[in-house]
Amino acid sequence: MNEIIQSIITRRSVRAFEEKQIPDEALHDILEAAKFAPSGMGKQAWHFAAVQNKEKIQELITATKEVMKNSSIEHFRKIGNNPEFNPFYAAPTIIITAYEKDAATGVSDCAVALENIFLAAHSMEIGSCWIHVLAFAGNDPKVRSILTEFGIPENYEISGTAALGFSSKEAPKAAPRKEGTVSIYK
């Protein structure tokens, strides 16, 4: 099996991180990998905001949890009211992906960029996890003001977030793959 396929198969979502920050060079390389993801029509209609400031991440968590507490979705209300819940699993770095609101393929483009982020991080033994909460809470005025402070343009929607850091636990084993999810027609 080649190195890239091996990396894809061995990457796991990490939900427990050391407090130690990832190196600046690693962050730069991970962001470069994101920028080189394919995008619909080559538009690159995305923005990546890397945040490593612990206080600002906590401010974002607090604002996001307020949105969740008031959600019509019971699960969101439950975790929003849990004082122990951290939507970024205490990762020392988060990368927020956003796309131009009128971009035809914005969500897909950001998803591919996130996968590049996860694979690049895995290649450097940095753990990662895909977080969706800002796609839900990103339009709340308080959350939006924080995102704008992070450099995300006002006319951009949040797609997803990568939580990054060194894993504090052993990676879990892969869940069994579902049967019947692949068809080959010749």
Side-chain angles (χ1 to χ4, degrees):
M1 185 176 300
N2 78 35
E3 190 176 324
I4 292 173
I5 294 173
Q6 184 66 27
S7 188
I8 291 168
I9 291 172
T10 60
R11 193 210 70 80
R12 297 286 172 271
S13 291
V14 170
R15 292 179 179 86
F17 297 95
E18 295 178 2
E19 286 188 34
K20 180 176 123 179
Q21 190 54 266
I22 67 173
D24 289 346
E25 184 178 330
L27 178 60
H28 176 270
D29 291 347
I30 290 167
L31 289 167
E32 279 299 298
K35 293 183 341 188
F36 277 88
S39 65
M41 298 164 278
K43 297 278 186 189
Q44 301 176 44
W46 50 39
H47 185 88
F48 308 108
V51 184
Q52 295 184 311
N53 181 297
K54 195 173 186 173
E55 290 77 26
K56 294 309 290 186
I57 291 173
Q58 185 56 54
E59 184 180 334
L60 181 60
I61 290 167
T62 301
T64 300
K65 285 177 73 169
E66 279 303 312
V67 173
M68 295 171 79
K69 286 178 187 180
N70 298 311
S71 171
S72 61
I73 300 168
E74 183 180 345
H75 175 70
F76 286 173
R77 285 193 313 272
K78 181 179 177 181
I79 60 178
N81 283 300
N82 179 350
E84 302 300 314
F85 179 71
N86 180 324
F88 308 118
Y89 301 104
T93 297
I94 61 172
I95 299 175
I96 304 164
T97 64
Y99 59 93
E100 292 178 19
K101 285 182 182 179
D102 62 352
T105 59
V107 173
S108 301
D109 295 349
C110 286
V112 175
L114 278 165
E115 181 67 2
N116 277 15
I117 288 168
F118 301 141
L119 292 173
H122 180 61
S123 76
M124 294 178 249
E125 299 181 358
I126 295 170
S128 63
C129 189
W130 190 333
I131 311 295
H132 291 280
V133 71
L134 291 179
F136 166 76
N139 288 324
D140 173 79
K142 175 64 176 165
V143 174
R144 182 66 241 187
S145 71
I146 297 166
L147 298 173
T148 301
E149 186 178 339
F150 294 161
I152 298 172
E154 289 283 341
N155 64 326
Y156 278 55
E157 293 284 335
I158 304 305
S159 177
T161 304
L164 301 172
F166 294 104
S167 180
S168 65
K169 294 183 178 178
E170 190 173 317
K173 294 201 182 298
R177 301 295 96 178
K178 288 183 177 180
E179 294 294 325
T181 61
V182 174
S183 297
I184 299 175
Y185 180 84
K186 292 186 181 187

